[in-house]
Amino acid sequence: MAKKSTRKPRPVWERGYQSHGYWQGKERLGTVQLGERAEWDGIYRWQAGTLAGEAKTLAEAKRAVEEQVLSLASQLPLFGAPGGD
């Protein structure tokens, strides 16, 4: 009998209306927002977790979100044991 894979799905970028979302399964990890078309100032605003910032290009904004998601995933909790004890 075949075993089911217990791995988490890989995060992927999905394009939305004036935004791009970074998703892992059904969980949104981060976003990159654009302004309204008529009023857009050429700045990409990104958010990942509690951190946010701005970038000049879409590639830079996506890279910033990916780096923040990786750093948040690798950090240990500040208080308490990692096992929950």
Side-chain angles (χ1 to χ4, degrees):
M1 192 168 190
K3 291 184 180 180
K4 283 190 175 183
S5 177
T6 58
R7 294 187 322 182
K8 288 185 178 180
R10 293 181 60 194
V12 294
W13 282 102
E14 288 188 7
R15 184 175 173 201
Y17 179 71
Q18 295 183 346
S19 68
H20 293 258
Y22 195 52
W23 294 85
Q24 184 174 21
K26 294 187 178 196
E27 180 184 5
R28 185 172 62 187
L29 303 174
T31 60
V32 175
Q33 300 283 330
L34 287 75
E36 293 293 326
R37 280 193 178 167
E39 303 169 6
W40 190 50
D41 56 359
I43 302 293
Y44 294 89
R45 289 165 180 85
W46 59 267
Q47 180 179 7
T50 60
L51 301 172
E54 297 179 343
K56 292 181 181 179
T57 66
L58 179 60
E60 288 176 12
K62 284 183 174 183
R63 192 174 322 115
V65 169
E66 291 170 354
E67 288 175 3
Q68 291 303 320
V69 168
L70 284 175
S71 70
L72 291 173
S74 64
Q75 290 181 353
L76 294 174
L78 186 58
F79 301 103
D85 294 333

